[in-house]
Structures are given as structure tokens and as C-alpha cells.
């Protein structure tokens, strides 16, 4: 179980219009995602991880994605987004705009690590 945020023992999902909360438990509790990833690779159990962390493992067949038709953590305060932060006076900077355009192109929607993952 990943203890990085409060409520780590409840996994929330949405499929179509149906919401589901599952109380989970486990013998391994860590705030380090790499520890949990390795435990899962070792066959210890299930993990709920972002695809950027386990996408390569799924592509190589080391891990199997489940519940792929579900949205994870719908309508919660947990924000898993990627953001570009810059000073307000840099908003119109050509360098900042170019860098943000690069990030959008590089990460895309969906992000590149999900295009061939699931």
C-alpha cells in the first residue's frame, strides 16, 4: 500500500456512470513507489500506480494491467497532473511558451507512455 497521501487504503474507481470505493489492505506499506513496484514485479500482489511508472513493465509483459476500463480517483482532491510552473512576469516569454509547447508535444494527450501501454 502506497502511503504518500491520506486515504491510501481506499481505492476509488469510476466505470461509465458507476462509482466504486474499495477498502484495501496489505502486508507491505511504503511511501516509496519503487519499493511497491518491485514487490509487485516479484509477485507479491496488486498495485495502483501511474502508468508513467509501470508502463514499460506492462509493455514488456512483466506486469498485467487490470481494470483498464476504469478511471482512477474520480472526483477527489488527489491531483495527478503534470504542470509547468513559471513566474507570472514570464507568461509572455517566448522561451517559456516554446518550452510549454515542447512539453505538450512531448507528453501529449494521452501521454506517450500510455499510447502503447494499455
Amino acid at each position: 500500500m502506497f502511503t504518500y497521501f491520506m486515504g491510501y487504503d481506499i481505492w476509488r474507481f469510476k466505470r461509465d456512470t458507476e462509482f466504486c470505493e474499495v477498502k484495501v489492505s496489505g502486508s507491505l506499506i511504503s511511501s516509496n513507489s519503487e519499493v511497491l513496484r518491485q514487490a509487485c514485479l516479484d509477485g507479491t500482489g496488486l498495485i495502483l500506480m501511474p502508468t508513467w511508472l509501470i508502463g514499460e513493465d506492462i509493455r514488456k509483459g512483466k506486469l498485467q494491467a487490470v481494470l483498464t476500463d476504469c478511471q482512477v480517483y474520480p472526483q477527489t482532491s488527489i491531483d495527478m497532473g503534470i504542470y509547468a510552473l513559471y513566474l507570472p512576469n514570464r507568461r509572455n516569454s517566448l522561451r517559456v511558451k516554446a518550452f510549454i509547447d515542447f512539453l505538450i508535444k512531448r507528453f501529449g494527450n494521452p501521454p506517450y507512455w500510455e499510447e502503447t501501454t494499455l
Side-chain angles (χ1 to χ4, degrees):
M1 294 176 26
F2 187 51
T3 61
Y4 184 71
F5 55 89
M6 297 211 28
Y8 64 86
D9 59 342
I10 298 175
W11 291 358
R12 293 173 180 84
F13 304 97
K14 177 184 175 190
R15 181 185 301 146
D16 298 322
T17 59
E18 179 184 0
F19 288 85
C20 179
E21 288 188 353
V22 179
K23 182 147 178 74
V24 295
S25 62
S27 57
L28 178 59
I29 299 173
S30 177
S31 62
N32 185 313
S33 58
E34 286 293 335
V35 168
L36 296 173
R37 176 185 159 269
Q38 188 58 53
C40 192
L41 286 168
D42 292 342
T44 307
L46 295 173
I47 55 172
L48 180 61
M49 289 282 154
T51 54
W52 61 263
L53 181 62
I54 59 170
E56 189 65 24
D57 297 319
I58 294 170
R59 277 191 293 282
K60 290 181 177 179
K62 294 178 180 180
L63 292 178
Q64 174 66 48
V66 297
L67 300 175
T68 57
D69 59 338
C70 292
Q71 178 186 358
V72 178
Y73 294 116
Q75 298 180 343
T76 67
S77 61
I78 298 169
D79 188 347
M80 302 289 188
I82 297 174
Y83 299 92
L85 301 175
Y86 51 89
L87 295 171
N89 64 345
R90 301 291 181 157
R91 178 172 294 195
N92 295 320
S93 163
L94 293 178
R95 286 182 183 175
V96 170
K97 285 182 179 183
F99 183 64
I100 291 173
D101 289 345
F102 165 77
L103 292 175
I104 291 169
K105 186 176 180 181
R106 175 70 174 124
F107 292 119
N109 188 13
Y112 71 88
W113 58 85
E114 288 186 1
E115 288 176 354
T116 58
T117 300
L118 307 174

